[in-house]
Amino acid sequence: MCKNLTAMTLFFLWIFSGSLICKDINWTEHLINSQSVGHPSQPLIFDLNGDGDNDLIYGDGHRDKVSWWENDGNQNFVERVVDSTKGGCFLKVDDFDNDGDLDIGGRGYDSSGIFWWENDGFLNFTRNSIYNGNTANCRFTDLDYDNDLDAVACSESNSEIFWLENDGAMKFTKHIIDSSYYKPAGLAIADMDGDNDIDFVASSYWGDNLSWWENDGNNSFTYHNLVTLTNITYPMTVDLDQDTDIDIVIGTGDWGDEIWWLENDGQMSFTVHNICNNHAFGLQDINDVDGDGDLDLLTAFHWSEGALTWWDNDGFQNFTRRDIATHYGMNSAALGDVDGDGDLDVAGGVGESTNQILWWESNLQSSMVLSVSPDPLIAGQYATFTVTNGQANTSTYLAYSLFGIGDTYIPFLDVHLDLFNPKQASGIKVTDNQGTAVWSLLIPSTAAGKSVWFQSVQYGMKSNVVATSVQ
């Protein structure tokens, strides 16, 4: 029989389906450089020089510059200028000309066109034009599957969405997809309908509209309207709920504070969900920030408080705001492993009056891992709960909650559990010399149809949270 958590008990987690891990994250801010940037674009975190550590690539709009910041392996960064006369954004690193080294592509910061910067093999770069017309946004992909990179773009001033076909020698031919979509600003690419070709998603900031274009497999496209939302900016395409179809996440611009996600039912019918409605301007990135197996969000709020924030997904697409830093003018950020320690850090740029490039070091506090089999659980049958990477030869507890994620402090273990109203699931186990403990528990037949969260804990340490349902 389960008992309330006391000095002799522990906690359990609320489960629905799938798995979830909640970990505390401490963020340490590091200044890379100041007074050399004006309006930094979203950075790329990428090992540009192939020396085994991640460098940073930025475009600077106000100072007409593209640079990469070389990491010496100890997170000391030196600026290497790619272009001193043209700023860039929506950057991508790839071997554009198929010559075996990494080039850079992107849109001109002043919307003047699309460019690629050719690497000579020694990290000296030469700018080349792909398209000279007005461009609000661009992406690069092999749209026609001929083993070279094409460009997909939109133009606000011309109300166009188009793609630029690469002939394999970096010569491009423009193909119009839509010439009457009102002032498109945001653009994303993905195989939305799962038919093995690349479709487009675009947003109209001024038209308050989100739409997608279906590729028939021969790069002929059919328009589909999705939803009307106010002040939307840049969509991101991702399987947010991990049900094997592509969803859409989108935020708002200067006069809005909201983020929505559009849940795909697998048949291209979408349900709109609001993630947050305050201080969320600037959706920047989507990734598993806390290593719990679900996808979290990164936002940067440009005005007012200027918050850099990650939104913690509980595994069921309920999001909790967790601030990383506060800087007025925080307008760009990205997730990546800057220091090579296996977790996701954040790199970002602060424009306006401070003109800084910074990175925030993540330090996940828990290395314990809890796994459950089977998942989902089966009423009336035994399930195995396994803890790995705990402290060796140490008392270890298993807890659960039927009420969901929370914050419960356990004084005698000096740990904050990530559960609401946690209870002890079973007896105490002592880990072996490798820090492993295993429970075999009979799942009550009366638990069928319920959701549960599990978590294990030792003194000063806690595992991920596993969320599952009972069938």
Side-chain angles (χ1 to χ4, degrees), residues 16 66 193 204 209 248 269 273 345 361 402 428 431 442 449 464:
F16 197 177
V66 175
D193 51 2
S204 172
N209 200 46
I248 302 170
S269 179
H273 304 275
D345 310 300
E361 179 181 359
L402 298 176
I428 300 170
T431 52
L442 179 65
N464 54 293

Side-chain angles (χ1 to χ4, degrees), residues 66-81:
V66 175
S67 298
W68 71 283
W69 294 78
E70 182 179 3
N71 185 352
D72 69 354
N74 294 305
Q75 292 71 64
N76 301 305
F77 292 88
V78 176
E79 183 181 17
R80 311 294 186 192
V81 176

Side-chain angles (χ1 to χ4, degrees), residues 255-332:
W255 297 286
D257 298 329
E258 296 183 286
I259 292 179
W260 296 272
W261 76 282
L262 281 69
E263 180 182 2
N264 187 350
D265 68 354
Q267 302 298 319
M268 298 304 294
S269 179
F270 291 84
T271 302
V272 180
H273 304 275
N274 181 261
I275 292 175
C276 56
N277 55 18
N278 65 319
H279 305 299
F281 163 67
L283 177 65
Q284 301 291 320
D285 211 345
I286 301 174
N287 210 324
D288 186 2
V289 176
D290 52 0
D292 64 355
D294 55 45
L295 293 173
D296 311 298
L297 312 180
L298 181 71
T299 64
F301 192 77
H302 184 68
W303 306 114
S304 183
E305 64 185 84
L308 178 65
T309 301
W310 72 282
W311 298 81
D312 187 1
N313 186 349
D314 70 354
F316 310 108
Q317 290 62 249
N318 303 304
F319 292 84
T320 300
R321 174 179 173 168
R322 305 192 188 281
D323 285 347
I324 297 172
T326 301
H327 287 281
Y328 177 75
M330 173 62 67
N331 61 348
S332 65

Side-chain angles (χ1 to χ4, degrees), residues 130 151 162-167 171-176:
I130 292 175
F162 56 94
W163 72 284
L164 301 163
E165 181 181 1
N166 186 351
D167 68 356
K171 304 297 182 183
F172 292 83
T173 301
K174 181 178 178 179
H175 301 276
I176 299 293

